[in-house]
Amino acid sequence: MGFNQTNPLANDRSLPQRDILCIDCKSFYASTEAIKRGINPLASKIAVLSREESQGGLILAASPYAKDTYGVKLGTRKYEVQPDMNLEMVEPHMADYIHKNLEINHIYRQFTDKQHWYPYSIDESFLDVTGSHRLFGENNQIAAAIQKKVLAQTGVVTTVGMGPNLLLAKLALDNEAKKGAPWQAYWDYKDVPTKLWQINDLQDMWGIGHRYAKRLHQLGIYSVYDLAHADVAFLKRKFGVMGAQLYYHAWGIDYSNLERRYLPRLDSKGYGNSQVLMRDYLTLSDCVTVLKEIAAQVATRLRRHHVQASVVGIGIGYAAGGHFSTQMKITPTNLTEELQEAVAYLFKKKWNGAPIRNAGVRCSRISKQLGLQLGLFKDQQRLVQQAVLDQIIDKIQLRFGYKALMRANSLTKGGTALERTNLVGGHQA
Amino acid sequence: MKFSISRSQFIKTLNDVQRAIASKATIPILTGLKIAVSETGVTLTGSDADISIEATITQSDEKAQLLIEEPGNIVLPARFFGEIVKRLPEDQMTLTVGEGFQTTITSGTSSFNLNGLDANGYPHLPEIDAENKLTLPADILKQIISQTVIAVSNQESRPILTGVHILVKDNQLLAVATDSHRLSQRKLEINNGQGLEYDVIIPGKSLTELSKIITDDLEEVDLRITENQVLFTAGPIKFYSRLLEGNYPDTDRLIPHDATTTIEFNTQKLLASVERASLLSHASQNNVVRLVLDPEAKEGTIYSNSPELGNVQESLAFENLTGEKLDISFNPDYMKDALRSFGPTDIKVAFTSALRPFTLVPSEDEENFIQLITPVRTF
């Protein structure tokens, strides 16, 4: 690997120069729970736990105090929490968090226009405030105003990373702003050598997951500094366009732009659901049962949006590691039974018989539904009845809840639908 | 092994055989081209395990200027070999196989050395009894293929429907294909002196490839069928295909014989109208057009509607509209495929209801060719 002498930061006129804020709600789930209980979120000793009943339950969020004092963090298992920590374990209430998130984003929206506002996750949003200075002042003034307003109206503490592009704002947030009051940090291009290159673990870099990290390690690249001093042409050869992006990210350069956000086309949009199973699934019938349940969920979503899919695929993760995915063309449909037949066929074709732990169904090539294509071999009357039945089930479930009317195979061993009815985003609502 | 040959004639044959060779194959040797040289000719073989094509250039073919010095067999990497042969400088080329399957290809001042493979490792083509055969006119066979393969399914979940069902009995050959939404059936009177009877399913893909090697100068194609293979002999080319296993659904009962509304169209005019209407249905990804026939008012109208773009309506040109009023919707792509398969002629379309399949037949010959389309039920 040749040492690269060029400095992409040399010509600073070609660098993106926006004013981006990346705002995070501090310990969002735990804070929301603390506020509900009238406790100061920063001082509370709360841990939000998924699946409270099982010892393997995961900590979804912990209050800042719990994090700092006991090292409890996202992903800690319930059995690792000691009784003397005196933590209050609470179950998650996803619906509350979604509601709170909307409330907070409503405040953000007062500081820029819709095009320059981008909710990134349930507790993080990006704002481009380049055009807001005459109204609200400098970056740090805007950040302070937002923090004050969110705290006053919702009780949630927010932390703000700022930078000339999305990447630096996000990195400023994760690596500096979150560390302590006043919960703000600004990273500029000139801070790249002193701050960005101090990040030693590649996975702490935005956009680098364990797979990229592993491949980069194999090439002798272990830190962000190494990445910035690799040969960009070499990275392009190894990783394609992503190689160039990785390289420029290591220099703090990010050309993504909130205005020209990627908007998926209707037909390239897909509908998918997936689950991490609560145990290893060993038998064909258990696996097919859960896949069919997921397919039914996806079918319901298709029908709710009055669309149909002409490609259906499954993704399966094995308990011992490794996964496969496969898809096939189908006649455009959104009928539960037809999608279930397709996923069962795909699974039987590709499954190697090993226990599985992840299952997902994805429908793509979406088109609007104007009618029902009749077939030669299927009884027309039955097909029409099936479509009507699906719609009636949808309506009953929408009005009286999922449990009001469900397919009997959900009661067999493989079914997870019954247990999952109270979940939002995989956790309790 | 050594021979020299006219490169242009060799390339022609090579192109035919290469249709069967895939760039990736489960059996690696199948990415190769087999060249077998006998005292009298050169035989090229390519195969992807589903189809195999074998073509022979004989010494009696003067244009080939084939000169055989030493018989033998070799397998060469098909893609590279093809690229090499096509780029050689002179019209005459010489191919020599030396020690350890080292192959030298020379033409003019250019000389390539290529590592070959032992031809003994190449799978044997199925042996098919030469006695029982049907002879079909080449142009008719090509027509039957183009008329039926449009209706084969491309969905793997019902593999049987990806083939064309061929039935031979007495003096009749019947070819049917359906993807379960439309169906195409063609009947043909044949000369079946041996009284052969067949009931087989040939993969649609094989027939499409076969169709490409049937050139206009060819008069007849011989058809031989065994339990799991079919062999078409088209002049110097032998085309083998595996057959699909399983029982083809009974399609005879699907074809309606009564009608409540009938109408006649010129295919070209109707095709142009459907194409115009489908401009909008395609653009909005809801591929449905609506046809309204009113015998009393003597009106036939086609409609298509795209919520975002707009809509289209067109009064159709037709003859002999009789029966009940009808309002039906269907996928225009099925209609376009069907209309194209008739060529420029008049057709008769017969409907029974808005939810039943309708049929299209040539006005001149209602017996031997029929297309069936199932409608779309609109809400």
Side-chain angles (χ1 to χ4, degrees):
Chain A
M1 203 167 33
F3 183 73
N4 194 303
Q5 294 286 347
T6 54
N7 177 356
L9 299 177
N11 181 7
D12 63 358
R13 267 182 306 173
S14 69
L15 301 172
Q17 293 288 359
R18 307 289 302 179
D19 287 309
I20 308 289
L21 311 188
C22 180
I23 316 176
D24 169 84
C25 297
K26 192 136 188 64
S27 308
F28 183 51
Y29 296 174
S31 294
T32 309
E33 295 296 339
I35 293 159
K36 277 203 298 196
R37 291 164 173 74
I39 310 170
N40 175 356
L42 293 185
S44 74
K45 294 169 133 195
I46 283 181
V48 181
L49 195 64
S50 110
R51 305 190 198 282
E52 234 188 339
E53 68 289 352
S54 99
Q55 278 299 313
L58 286 171
I59 303 282
L60 290 175
S63 60
Y65 178 83
K67 278 187 199 169
D68 296 343
T69 318
Y70 304 119
V72 174
K73 58 174 195 284
L74 175 75
T76 304
R77 296 276 172 180
K78 186 179 177 185
Y79 55 76
E80 294 175 285
V81 176
Q82 305 301 324
D84 63 342
M85 291 184 188
N86 198 19
L87 286 183
E88 185 181 350
M89 305 275 195
V90 303
E91 57 180 43
H93 301 90
M94 293 303 286
D96 289 353
Y97 310 150
I98 291 169
H99 180 76
K100 189 126 259 174
N101 170 270
L102 290 174
E103 205 180 326
I104 292 169
N105 268 290
H106 184 71
I107 297 171
Y108 297 161
R109 280 277 287 106
Q110 298 163 8
F111 290 86
T112 190
D113 61 343
K114 193 177 174 192
Q115 277 197 331
H116 294 103
W117 159 71
Y118 179 54
Y120 180 66
S121 69
I122 188 139
D123 62 351
E124 276 185 17
S125 294
F126 285 100
L127 300 185
D128 182 335
V129 295
T130 313
S132 309
H133 296 307
R134 290 176 67 130
L135 284 170
F136 305 108
E138 295 302 313
N139 288 332
N140 56 341
Q141 291 171 313
I142 296 176
I146 290 174
Q147 288 174 313
K148 198 175 153 200
K149 207 161 183 174
V150 173
L151 182 65
Q153 286 188 17
T154 70
V156 173
V157 175
T158 48
T159 59
V160 186
M162 292 170 277
N165 62 44
L166 296 172
L167 173 74
L168 283 172
K170 169 78 173 151
L171 290 168
L173 173 78
D174 288 344
N175 297 287
E176 193 178 328
K178 282 181 178 175
K179 300 266 157 72
W183 315 112
Q184 284 190 14
Y186 184 92
W187 281 22
D188 202 349
Y189 294 111
K190 65 174 172 19
D191 300 320
V192 165
T194 54
K195 294 181 172 174
L196 180 51
W197 292 351
Q198 305 308 314
I199 299 177
N200 276 323
D201 189 345
L202 280 172
Q203 288 195 50
D204 287 345
M205 185 73 187
W206 195 26
I208 301 185
H210 72 276
R211 283 182 201 219
Y212 267 117
K214 197 171 153 197
R215 285 173 66 190
L216 287 165
H217 287 173
Q218 285 165 356
L219 301 172
I221 297 170
Y222 294 96
S223 66
V224 180
Y225 178 87
D226 291 348
L227 188 57
H229 294 82
D231 181 3
V232 63
F234 172 77
L235 290 171
K236 269 190 204 167
R237 271 203 310 280
K238 288 285 174 190
F239 298 99
V241 282
M242 280 307 292
Q245 188 180 319
L246 287 172
Y247 173 78
Y248 287 110
H249 277 186
W251 284 87
I253 303 171
D254 174 17
Y255 290 101
S256 53
N257 180 332
L258 289 186
E259 277 174 79
R260 280 180 289 135
R261 210 174 302 166
Y262 171 70
L263 290 175
R265 283 171 48 202
L266 175 66
D267 58 345
S268 62
K269 196 181 161 188
Y271 289 76
N273 283 51
S274 64
Q275 289 182 22
V276 179
L277 303 169
M278 286 301 280
R279 57 176 173 84
D280 293 350
Y281 275 44
L282 306 171
T283 66
L284 180 68
S285 77
D286 282 1
C287 295
V288 168
T289 299
V290 72
L291 273 172
K292 281 187 169 180
E293 281 185 351
I294 302 174
Q297 268 179 346
V298 177
T300 304
R301 290 175 59 202
L302 292 172
R303 289 192 295 270
R304 193 168 297 160
H305 291 107
H306 305 288
V307 293
Q308 48 193 14
S310 56
V311 171
V312 57
I314 57 169
I316 301 294
Y318 288 112
H323 66 98
F324 73 85
S325 60
T326 176
Q327 63 176 41
M328 69 172 181
K329 277 203 265 183
I330 51 169
T331 311
T333 185
N334 57 22
L335 295 181
T336 295
E337 198 176 287
E338 289 186 358
L339 291 175
Q340 287 182 330
E341 271 171 30
V343 299
Y345 169 81
L346 286 172
F347 185 76
K348 285 173 196 163
K349 197 179 80 169
K350 278 276 178 116
W351 184 45
N352 69 12
I356 73 165
R357 201 65 197 254
N358 281 287
V361 172
R362 185 164 178 79
C363 287
S364 52
R365 288 271 204 96
I366 302 300
S367 59
K368 285 206 195 87
Q369 187 190 18
L370 267 200
L372 183 65
Q373 172 68 57
L374 302 175
L376 286 167
F377 301 113
K378 283 200 173 145
D379 181 357
Q380 317 287 30
Q381 203 55 42
R382 192 177 128 63
L383 196 68
V384 171
Q385 282 167 352
Q386 236 177 53
V388 174
L389 179 66
D390 277 347
Q391 282 167 3
I392 289 173
I393 294 175
D394 289 348
K395 276 187 191 160
I396 291 175
Q397 290 181 339
L398 196 65
R399 186 157 163 204
F400 299 103
Y402 186 86
K403 270 193 262 186
L405 181 62
M406 50 199 291
R407 284 177 161 76
N409 67 356
S410 288
L411 293 174
T412 63
K413 244 176 69 196
T416 62
L418 199 56
E419 274 181 50
R420 294 179 66 88
T421 46
N422 298 323
L423 306 187
V424 173
H427 306 298
Q428 278 149 51
Chain B
M1 172 180 139
K2 186 174 182 184
F3 69 94
S4 72
I5 193 165
S6 154
R7 205 162 55 85
S8 50
Q9 287 303 110
F10 188 77
I11 288 171
K12 227 178 99 200
T13 307
L14 184 61
N15 283 341
D16 284 335
V17 173
Q18 271 188 323
R19 291 192 179 285
I21 305 175
S23 53
K24 280 182 189 161
T26 41
I27 312 170
I29 201 165
L30 289 184
T31 60
L33 168 82
K34 183 182 169 191
I35 305 175
V37 181
S38 70
E39 299 285 349
T40 56
V42 174
T43 301
L44 306 184
T45 308
S47 174
D48 67 0
D50 279 343
I51 62 174
S52 306
I53 302 175
E54 189 182 273
T56 303
I57 306 166
T58 56
Q59 257 173 335
S60 55
D61 180 355
E62 276 178 29
K63 276 190 288 181
Q65 297 172 43
L66 174 61
L67 193 73
I68 294 168
E69 289 187 32
E70 192 192 345
N73 299 308
I74 188 78
V75 174
L76 296 174
R79 203 155 55 91
F80 288 116
F81 180 65
E83 295 291 319
I84 290 167
V85 171
K86 280 165 199 165
R87 281 173 177 73
L88 289 174
E90 301 289 328
D91 184 56
Q92 201 70 14
M93 61 175 264
T94 304
L95 192 143
T96 318
V97 178
E99 283 289 302
F101 311 110
Q102 280 293 312
T103 305
T104 310
I105 306 144
T106 56
S107 177
T109 55
S110 174
S111 173
F112 280 87
N113 281 313
L114 209 56
N115 297 326
L117 291 168
D118 186 354
N120 287 323
Y122 198 86
H124 289 283
L125 293 189
E127 283 179 28
I128 290 183
D129 178 12
E131 286 303 308
N132 294 327
K133 64 168 187 183
L134 292 168
T135 302
L136 302 173
D139 54 339
I140 301 278
L141 176 62
K142 213 169 164 171
Q143 191 188 48
I144 293 176
I145 293 173
S146 70
Q147 285 169 340
T148 51
V149 290
I150 53 164
V152 299
S153 166
N154 55 10
Q155 289 173 23
E156 52 175 310
S157 52
R158 283 191 82 180
I160 209 91
L161 296 186
T162 62
V164 176
H165 187 201
I166 306 277
L167 276 164
V168 174
K169 199 179 178 186
D170 303 328
N171 285 325
Q172 182 176 272
L173 181 146
L174 184 80
V176 191
T178 177
D179 61 6
S180 84
H181 302 300
R182 48 156 158 199
L183 175 148
S184 175
Q185 175 181 290
R186 175 70 198 266
K187 281 182 196 163
L188 181 70
E189 287 292 310
I190 52 164
N191 182 4
N192 185 2
Q194 291 163 289
L196 299 172
E197 281 191 24
Y198 295 117
D199 181 345
V200 295
I201 307 152
I202 304 177
K205 272 187 199 143
S206 303
L207 291 173
T208 306
E209 288 304 326
L210 171 67
S211 184
K212 288 177 191 158
I213 62 162
I214 301 178
T215 47
D216 292 341
D217 56 328
L218 211 62
E219 300 225 326
E220 289 179 334
V221 175
D222 288 341
L223 173 65
R224 294 177 174 86
I225 293 172
T226 66
E227 220 164 278
N228 56 11
Q229 288 280 334
V230 55
L231 165 61
F232 296 91
T233 310
I237 302 173
K238 286 180 172 171
F239 184 103
Y240 297 79
S241 169
R242 105 191 137 85
L243 296 172
L244 294 176
E245 283 172 39
N247 291 319
Y248 203 81
D250 174 16
T251 49
D252 214 28
R253 66 179 174 87
L254 301 173
I255 298 170
H257 297 287
D258 326 311
T260 51
T261 310
T262 58
I263 186 168
E264 286 179 47
F265 292 105
N266 172 279
T267 51
Q268 301 307 294
K269 284 184 187 163
L270 180 60
L271 179 59
S273 299
V274 175
E275 277 173 344
R276 275 189 290 276
S278 66
L279 285 176
L280 282 180
S281 67
H282 269 184
S284 66
Q285 303 143 9
N286 43 44
N287 216 0
V288 179
V289 298
R290 179 173 160 226
L291 177 70
V292 176
L293 300 176
D294 187 345
E296 255 177 54
K298 295 191 167 50
E299 276 175 359
T301 317
I302 192 166
Y303 300 88
S304 178
N305 173 36
S306 156
E308 300 97 41
L309 291 169
N311 58 67
V312 53
Q313 102 171 50
E314 178 171 334
S315 289
L316 299 171
F318 59 85
E319 304 276 339
N320 301 329
L321 171 57
T322 60
E324 295 164 17
K325 194 173 181 221
L326 181 86
D327 185 339
I328 193 168
S329 297
F330 53 85
N331 182 334
D333 291 348
Y334 295 163
M335 182 62 111
K336 284 190 280 185
D337 287 344
L339 291 173
R340 288 191 190 113
S341 72
F342 288 102
T345 178
D346 290 343
I347 54 156
K348 191 167 151 188
V349 187
F351 304 88
T352 47
S353 91
L355 296 181
R356 310 295 307 171
F358 59 93
T359 59
L360 297 79
V361 295
S363 302
E364 301 281 289
D365 176 11
E366 298 187 16
E367 250 315 287
N368 291 319
F369 185 32
I370 187 164
Q371 295 267 3
L372 193 69
I373 296 174
T374 54
V376 168
R377 178 182 183 267
T378 52
F379 303 113

